[in-house]
Amino acid sequence: MEYELARRLVPDEMWSVVEPLLPGFTGRRQGGGTAPLNERRTFTAVVYVLASGCTWRQLPPWFAVSAATAHRRFIAWTRSSLWDRLEEAAAGHPDEPWIHDIATAAHARRASRADPRGS
């Protein structure tokens, strides 16, 4: 069941647009952590938070991505202008309105300046 929801949140067509726009993985300055997670899984977890409006802490465990990791990646992607590039890419994919919707939700989430530890 979780797999089906993940595929509905980020269908293959959307992923083919998003994947080339993602910045490469870089480790954290303070060290620690593990190898990079599956980028599609992480992106899907972020999309879930953006689409549902839930807090990062409410991210369901079946995504297999911690709330802290999802939030860190959202911040990194925001700083790398992923959402702007995604919005530009959406113009070329009118058959995929979700691409534009996710970029818009990301901009709104960033603008809300919610507490990064809980929202």
Side-chain angles (χ1 to χ4, degrees), residues 33-67:
T34 59
L37 293 173
N38 176 292
E39 289 287 272
R40 185 172 185 165
R41 180 181 298 160
T42 306
F43 184 78
T44 303
V46 170
V47 166
Y48 178 86
V49 171
L50 295 174
S52 71
C54 73
T55 66
W56 296 103
R57 289 183 194 168
Q58 293 171 319
L59 182 65
W62 59 260
F63 278 104
V65 175
S66 73

Side-chain angles (χ1 to χ4, degrees), residues 35-115:
L37 293 173
N38 176 292
E39 289 287 272
R40 185 172 185 165
R41 180 181 298 160
T42 306
F43 184 78
T44 303
V46 170
V47 166
Y48 178 86
V49 171
L50 295 174
S52 71
C54 73
T55 66
W56 296 103
R57 289 183 194 168
Q58 293 171 319
L59 182 65
W62 59 260
F63 278 104
V65 175
S66 73
T69 296
H71 182 259
R72 254 192 320 274
R73 202 62 61 89
F74 171 76
I75 295 298
W77 290 338
T78 299
R79 289 181 179 149
S80 74
S81 301
L82 171 65
W83 312 117
D84 294 330
R85 292 192 319 271
L86 193 55
E87 203 156 27
E88 291 170 10
H93 297 274
D95 54 326
E96 291 294 325
W98 262 105
I99 296 171
H100 173 76
D101 295 344
I102 293 305
T104 301
H107 286 301
R109 185 85 174 202
R110 179 178 178 225
S112 74
R113 302 241 184 248
D115 177 9

Side-chain angles (χ1 to χ4, degrees), residues 10 97 103:
V10 180

